[in-house]
Amino acid sequence: MVLIPVPKPPKSAINPDRPVSKLLRNQMEHLQKAEFRLPVKQQTNTYINAIKTEGEAADYIRQVTQAIHGAHGVEPKGVAPGPVAVTPRRKSRGSDIAAVAEERPTRKRKTARTSKAKAKKKTRTKRTG
Amino acid sequence: MSKGLDNLKHIVVLMMENRSFDHMLGALKVQDPRIDGISPDLSNPDSTGASVKAQPLAEFQGQLDPDPDHHFPGVDLQIFGGDSSAGRVPNMQGFVKSYFSQRHDVNHSQKIMYYFTPDKVPVLTTLATEFAVFNRWFSSIPGPTICNRAFAHYGTSFGKVGMDLFYINEPFKSIYDRLILANPKRTSKLYYYDQASSTQEIVNLLQHQPELFGTYQQFLSDCKKGQLPDYSFVEPNYSDHDGDNGAEIASDQHPDHHVQAGELFIATIYNAIKDNPDLWKSTVLLVVYDEHGGIYDHVVPPACAKDGFVASANDTGTGRAFEFDRLGIRVPAILISPWIPKGTVVSGRTFEHASIPATVTKHFLGDYDQRSPREKAADTFLDLITLDTMRTDCPDFGV
């Protein structure tokens, strides 16, 4: 039996501040359609056009996915650990957005970008799906 | 029926993102001429008319930025080289032109012709040479992710050629619906990486049947406990994001995500199955990519059975309607099982993503009429499991 070594990507490969791709943009739009069918209290009230980075997109996607599962009373086992953890955990913005959703049941535009994300905004062209 | 096929209880599909066959596996032709990969004469003209050869210079990250166009009009240019005449013939001569149109940089546009050497993608190339590699597995539509992934779930995209939503109450059920409604009931699951990555199959299934979903961690657990369902569809991580154990790196290999992260992910899926001896002998794993991502491939997508739907000229963006009568660009596809002979190269047959529900349906449900014309016409692949004695020489990956 042969053991094939599998190189790991460098820590520098990860970039949650990478501009959100067309694929993720579409995923968010699809999820938003889904969350609008949830009870108002379970909606995130996130203005997704303000989401500019992969990290921000992931926060939104996580909240809506959790909300959909919660609305159906089913939670998949396990939510996070994967094979690659290459940098220390960053402060999540998800709880902040969720808190806003809980306090404000009516829909309101919300900017999801952080000042840090703005500062790191890059000029790279957006990716497509 | 071979003993291997007789033992088969589980089918697992791992669908990665946006890489062409030649880009990932084309270099294997040097070591095995049966593999229809890169040859020295392959080229595309650039915007100056100069000939640009395919070169083994692909890098893991930072090279394909901006993301190469792979929406319907862009792929049309890549396949037909910019010829819009009525009698045009596909020639795969428009890749460099297409990429040039995004950044208007002649040197940069040539990178769309770059491919990996086998040492750079050891997981994928090892699996391709150890098990069965498909010379002719094409994406289902010359277009982007969502419509192509739809073919893997439904055997059709219901007439869509883009990233649009599509809705339930369509005429054909997903493979998951077919299985859970069967008598006797079958089991299936879509494993997304985690809730921050979630699934690309949202509207129809996550919204209405969230019980079908699990996480990557659950996949590992189900493999370990021997609780894998009859059919599993695994999605990689689509984004760099925070996880409970630290930052998670995208593993989908979508440009400009790091290719080695995807290699690692493929290896962990393989290992999870192989590490459970009972599961290993009763499972087949298909690793396949949803579409080519705008990256060069030399094989002309063939004509195919019409799907019964028509995308309008407005929807295609090319000025002409599309009757779903031509496949998309070729992608890497590898079938893995200890009952498949080492070094199997599947030639002379054509597969596409509709082959997935066609195969799963045939194996677990048998005759099933309510399927799309494309799925009914799609070839199935379990006949590649031919051995009567299980191999003991299959590789392990050190992750």
Side-chain angles (χ1 to χ4, degrees):
Chain A
M1 221 172 313
V2 182
L3 181 66
I4 310 293
V6 183
K8 289 186 168 71
K11 290 180 179 179
S12 59
I14 194 164
N15 178 21
D17 294 320
R18 182 184 294 112
V20 70
S21 67
K22 187 75 182 298
L23 181 64
L24 290 179
R25 178 71 60 196
N26 270 274
Q27 190 182 12
M28 286 191 291
E29 290 169 359
H30 293 187
L31 275 170
Q32 188 170 54
K33 298 255 185 188
E35 80 157 314
F36 283 169
R37 296 189 178 193
L38 295 174
V40 170
K41 191 175 181 181
Q42 292 175 308
Q43 295 180 17
T44 67
N45 292 324
T46 301
Y47 179 59
I48 62 171
N49 287 347
I51 293 174
K52 302 297 182 190
T53 70
E54 285 192 14
E56 292 168 352
D59 279 344
Y60 173 73
I61 290 166
R62 172 169 35 218
Q63 289 177 73
V64 179
T65 302
Q66 286 174 344
I68 291 171
H69 281 293
H72 286 78
V74 289
E75 282 289 335
K77 297 171 191 170
V79 291
V84 191
V86 293
T87 62
R89 185 182 179 189
R90 297 164 68 246
K91 184 178 183 302
S92 173
R93 294 172 293 275
S95 56
D96 301 337
I97 300 173
V100 171
E102 190 65 27
E103 290 166 6
R104 299 180 180 180
T106 54
R107 206 164 295 153
K108 185 177 180 181
R109 289 166 68 100
K110 180 182 182 303
T111 299
R113 291 172 63 189
T114 64
S115 56
K116 182 181 177 185
K118 286 177 183 175
K120 288 192 173 182
K121 182 183 178 188
K122 297 184 177 179
T123 56
R124 294 156 78 175
T125 308
K126 290 177 181 176
R127 300 182 297 118
T128 59
Chain B
M1 182 182 288
S2 70
K3 191 173 178 186
L5 192 52
D6 199 33
N7 271 318
L8 185 65
K9 295 177 183 171
H10 310 280
I11 299 174
V12 178
V13 173
L14 168 59
M15 184 167 274
M16 305 292 286
E17 280 278 317
N18 289 39
R19 302 277 170 172
S20 73
F21 182 99
D22 278 346
H23 179 68
M24 300 298 279
L25 298 176
L28 289 175
K29 184 173 183 175
V30 173
Q31 63 189 69
D32 186 344
R34 297 175 303 156
I35 297 175
D36 191 1
I38 299 286
S39 55
D41 59 321
L42 294 175
S43 67
N44 256 209
D46 69 16
S47 57
T48 71
S51 178
V52 180
K53 288 195 176 299
Q55 298 178 74
L57 299 174
E59 296 174 359
F60 299 127
Q61 192 174 44
Q63 198 168 52
L64 296 174
D65 186 10
D67 181 27
D69 188 1
H70 47 278
H71 285 250
F72 201 93
V75 183
D76 189 83
L77 168 59
Q78 292 155 15
I79 293 174
F80 291 97
D83 183 358
S84 57
S85 66
R88 63 186 185 158
V89 176
N91 57 17
M92 314 304 278
Q93 291 294 294
F95 287 86
V96 180
K97 289 179 192 171
S98 172
Y99 204 31
F100 176 81
S101 71
Q102 294 181 248
R103 198 160 124 175
H104 300 284
D105 178 333
V106 174
N107 289 333
H108 183 262
S109 68
Q110 298 177 355
K111 294 179 179 179
I112 208 68
M113 301 294 289
Y114 291 176
Y115 61 92
F116 286 104
T117 50
D119 60 303
K120 282 197 157 184
V121 280
V123 176
L124 202 65
T125 54
T126 296
L127 294 174
T129 53
E130 285 284 338
F131 299 99
V133 61
F134 292 82
N135 266 339
R136 292 286 186 278
W137 189 299
F138 296 86
S139 53
S140 295
I141 293 180
T145 289
I146 298 299
C147 57
N148 272 298
R149 284 182 175 262
F151 270 82
H153 300 306
Y154 301 89
T156 178
S157 65
F158 305 107
K160 301 291 175 31
V161 293
M163 300 288 281
D164 303 343
L165 295 166
F166 37 88
Y167 299 93
I168 57 168
N169 300 323
E170 295 285 3
F172 307 116
K173 292 186 186 305
S174 73
I175 183 59
Y176 316 97
D177 272 333
R178 296 177 209 171
L179 291 169
I180 62 178
L181 293 172
N183 185 16
K185 183 178 178 178
R186 290 290 187 169
T187 54
S188 64
K189 213 153 195 75
L190 290 104
Y191 294 94
Y192 53 65
Y193 184 75
D194 63 12
Q195 293 194 330
S197 176
S198 196
T199 178
Q200 296 296 337
E201 182 44 55
I202 291 163
V203 173
N204 294 318
L205 296 177
L206 181 58
Q207 181 173 305
H208 300 285
Q209 295 164 278
E211 68 277 8
L212 286 174
F213 290 83
T215 61
Y216 168 76
Q217 187 186 47
Q218 186 179 350
F219 177 82
L220 298 182
S221 174
D222 287 348
C223 285
K224 195 171 184 178
K225 295 176 182 173
Q227 295 177 347
L228 215 57
D230 298 328
Y231 176 54
S232 303
F233 187 89
V234 181
E235 297 185 73
N237 178 11
Y238 298 112
S239 63
D240 291 353
H241 63 263
D242 295 334
D244 286 352
N245 290 343
E248 300 283 358
I249 188 168
S251 55
D252 60 355
Q253 296 185 328
H254 190 305
D256 196 28
H257 290 154
H258 205 279
V259 168
Q260 283 185 320
E263 280 267 295
L264 196 58
F265 187 68
I266 295 168
T268 60
I269 297 297
Y270 171 90
N271 281 357
I273 297 168
K274 189 168 184 294
D275 286 349
N276 180 333
D278 288 336
L279 193 61
W280 178 236
K281 71 181 181 188
S282 61
T283 301
V284 66
L285 167 64
L286 176 73
V287 178
V288 64
Y289 288 66
D290 66 341
E291 34 99 353
H292 73 302
I295 305 169
Y296 175 70
D297 192 85
H298 79 279
V299 175
V300 171
C304 64
K306 293 181 181 179
D307 198 29
F309 296 95
V310 178
S312 70
N314 191 44
D315 285 341
T316 65
T318 61
R320 63 177 74 202
F322 181 61
E323 296 187 51
F324 296 84
D325 54 357
R326 179 179 296 284
L327 298 177
I329 289 171
R330 193 172 58 141
V331 290
I334 301 165
L335 193 67
I336 299 154
S337 158
W339 304 93
I340 292 175
K342 178 175 178 171
T344 298
V345 178
V346 187
S347 300
R349 298 166 63 182
T350 299
F351 297 83
E352 56 139 322
H353 300 331
S355 296
I356 295 170
T359 300
V360 175
T361 299
K362 180 180 178 182
H363 185 69
F364 290 120
L365 303 178
D367 292 337
Y368 196 99
D369 190 53
Q370 287 299 308
R371 298 182 297 152
S372 72
R374 280 278 291 272
E375 185 183 330
K376 285 181 176 178
D379 202 352
T380 60
F381 49 78
L382 294 184
D383 60 305
L384 299 171
I385 301 172
T386 57
L387 295 179
D388 286 319
T389 303
M390 196 172 96
R391 287 172 54 190
T392 57
D393 63 344
C394 300
D396 287 313
F397 292 110
V399 296

